[in-house]
Amino acid sequence: MSTLRVLILAFDGVEALDFAGPFEVFTTASRVHARQHPGQPALFDVKSVAAAQAVQARAGLRLLADHTLADAPAADVLVVPGGVVDAPLASPETLAWIGAQAAGARIASSVCTGAFLLAQAGVLQADARVTTHWEDIAELRERFPRLDVVDDVRWVDNGRIVTSAGISAGIDMSLHLVERLAGRDLALRTARQMDFAWTTNLSSPSA
């Protein structure tokens, strides 16, 4: 298969593990795949994108993005992390970028409160089944009452749109995406390489 481009959004206040968890999954999956298939193209090309290339994650970790919104290539897989999302929610440029990337991507996904950004950008349609961090379930229902917001799941797969619960659930979701895109064997080997106990059975794709 050809290389799939994974773009992960970064912004001031992003939750570090929301960002780094998917980054680790997709880059590790590429590394594990390359060991078994030497000489083949990389499975995933993982890049970070931010409005300004230098951002400060929640709790102070500084990140230097690969691309700005203006020069980012098109995503095959879009990952929108959460954290403190007030600034990106108030940024028409960021919301427009999310909407445009999601429209062209094979899969658009969110971690934690990244679901608020997908909703505000118009990516989540009415009656879409979604989830977020347990602490933010009530607010997501209140702000976007037409969404079908569910709790007690690690992720919700609607085909092109996949949302996950909080923080570490983004790792579970990302492994699920690896399984969808490249097979269960690679997802299991990736989880083993990461020494991660993958929760695989708390949500399934909806019809």
Side-chain angles (χ1 to χ4, degrees), residues 13 15 18 26 37 45 48 70 72 78 96 103 105 124-125 130 147 199 201 207:
E15 187 74 47
D18 285 14
F26 287 110
H37 303 280
D45 176 28
S48 54
L78 174 66
L124 298 176
Q125 301 301 312
V130 302
L147 297 178
T199 304
N201 61 350

Side-chain angles (χ1 to χ4, degrees), residues 39-129:
Q40 289 192 6
L43 189 58
F44 299 108
D45 176 28
V46 187
K47 302 296 184 185
S48 54
V49 182
Q53 282 190 296
V55 299
Q56 185 165 300
R58 195 173 190 178
L61 180 67
R62 294 187 64 79
L63 302 170
L64 186 64
D66 296 301
H67 296 283
T68 64
L69 302 179
D71 68 19
D76 295 301
V77 179
L78 174 66
V79 181
V80 179
V84 180
V85 294
D86 295 351
L89 278 174
S91 168
E93 180 187 19
T94 300
L95 295 173
W97 182 86
I98 291 171
Q101 286 284 353
R106 185 168 170 180
I107 296 172
S109 64
S110 66
V111 183
C112 193
T113 51
F116 287 79
L117 296 174
L118 290 186
Q120 190 68 31
V123 177
L124 298 176
Q125 301 301 312
D127 301 321
R129 187 169 178 264

Side-chain angles (χ1 to χ4, degrees), residues 107-153:
I107 296 172
S109 64
S110 66
V111 183
C112 193
T113 51
F116 287 79
L117 296 174
L118 290 186
Q120 190 68 31
V123 177
L124 298 176
Q125 301 301 312
D127 301 321
R129 187 169 178 264
V130 302
T131 196
T132 189
H133 190 285
W134 61 266
E135 198 171 38
D136 301 288
I137 290 285
E139 183 181 354
L140 188 61
R141 286 174 176 155
E142 180 180 354
R143 291 187 62 162
F144 302 98
R146 298 183 67 185
L147 297 178
D148 179 14
V149 182
V150 297
D151 53 14
D152 295 326
V153 294

